[in-house]
Amino acid sequence: DIQMTQSPSSLSASVGDRVTITCRASQSFNNYLNWYQQKPGKAPKVLIYAASALQSGVPSRFSGSGSGTDFTLTISSLQPEDFATYYCQQSYVAPRTFGQGTKVEVK
Amino acid sequence: EVQLVESGGGLVQPGGSLSLSCAASGFTFSSSWMSWVRQAPGRGLEWVANIKQDGREKYYVDSVKGRFTISRDNAKNSLYLQMNSLRGEDTAVYYCAREGEPGGWRQLDYWGQGTLVTVSS
């Protein structure tokens, strides 16, 4: 199975900050890497697919990059509605594993 | 509008069984891989299983192999998860989700609202 490791597990930030979350895979794969946002009590929502493609309707302040085993989600200017937990997921092979999550909290 | 509506959750004793359903609408269900994802209270997301469009390929996370069975009925636009030999660690909100457009990157682009399964005596 491919293990996905996110860092950090949590971070504190202010509105307007640039935020970066990283995701490392235990083995290399092509860009079947997705990022999700989840707010308390809600289902997750996909933000980025194919490592860097913006899902329809997602604000352009979200971006993804990376390849091989190392991937990054960046929020260019954090907005109040962006305080949430973020997960990476590989969809290259089953089981389609998730990272453990990164909680973005108010500083 | 795409909708996925789960049902069937509830309280069950350890060792018991439960069957979850997911009713799909607003897209061509028979053209999409479908997945189940769960989330234990206060924990992260865990992918559980997925099934190909025709139901002939199914994959599971190791922790549920031999206990859970994913299935679908394309005539009824429905996805199912039969859960047997349930354990406390299966307690979670269970989500059904669509695996994106056929031939795409398999992101989970639509999710249901989730149904809570509690395994406890």
Side-chain angles (χ1 to χ4, degrees):
Chain A
D1 297 359
I2 299 177
Q3 308 303 318
M4 307 299 293
T5 304
Q6 286 180 236
S7 61
S9 296
S10 65
L11 64 90
S12 298
S14 301
V15 172
D17 284 354
R18 182 180 182 89
V19 169
T20 299
I21 299 168
T22 63
C23 179
R24 175 163 286 178
S26 61
Q27 62 188 77
S28 179
F29 54 86
N30 63 8
N31 291 346
Y32 283 85
L33 189 285
N34 312 305
W35 289 97
Y36 301 86
Q37 176 194 66
Q38 188 181 33
K39 297 181 179 179
K42 300 293 187 181
K45 168 189 170 184
V46 63
L47 303 173
I48 301 287
Y49 66 96
S52 61
L54 196 66
Q55 182 77 11
S56 176
V58 173
S60 59
R61 62 181 179 273
F62 292 94
S63 64
S65 63
S67 63
T69 60
D70 294 303
F71 302 89
T72 300
L73 173 70
T74 300
I75 309 172
S76 60
S77 178
L78 196 67
Q79 297 302 298
E81 61 268 30
D82 300 336
F83 292 100
T85 302
Y86 295 84
Y87 296 91
C88 63
Q89 183 220 15
Q90 62 82 15
S91 52
Y92 179 64
V93 66
R96 304 218 200 285
T97 39
F98 287 90
Q100 81 278 15
T102 296
K103 187 173 184 179
V104 177
E105 300 175 299
V106 177
K107 191 171 186 178
Chain B
E1 179 194 6
V2 171
Q3 281 200 313
L4 296 169
V5 180
E6 302 96 337
S7 60
L11 176 63
V12 60
Q13 292 189 340
S17 298
L18 207 58
S19 180
L20 305 183
S21 299
C22 172
S25 60
F27 67 102
T28 306
F29 180 76
S30 59
S31 296
S32 296
W33 280 77
M34 296 295 296
S35 289
W36 287 99
V37 175
R38 68 183 178 182
Q39 186 169 37
R43 305 295 295 273
L45 301 172
E46 181 181 35
W47 182 90
V48 174
N50 68 348
I51 185 169
K52 193 178 178 180
Q53 292 94 329
D54 61 4
R56 294 186 178 186
E57 288 185 42
K58 306 174 185 182
Y59 300 93
Y60 300 90
V61 68
D62 282 351
S63 59
V64 308
K65 280 180 184 174
R67 301 189 300 122
F68 289 13
T69 302
I70 189 172
S71 63
R72 64 191 297 162
D73 184 336
N74 288 340
K76 294 183 177 180
N77 288 342
S78 292
L79 177 72
Y80 306 102
L81 187 67
Q82 176 66 40
M83 304 185 294
N84 299 329
S85 303
L86 283 161
R87 307 166 180 167
E89 55 264 37
D90 297 318
T91 295
V93 173
Y94 285 73
Y95 296 100
C96 74
R98 187 184 85 155
E99 278 200 8
E101 293 294 334
W105 292 86
R106 305 192 285 251
Q107 73 273 31
L108 298 171
D109 61 353
Y110 289 100
W111 296 66
Q113 84 288 351
T115 188
L116 176 62
V117 173
T118 303
V119 183
S120 175
S121 54

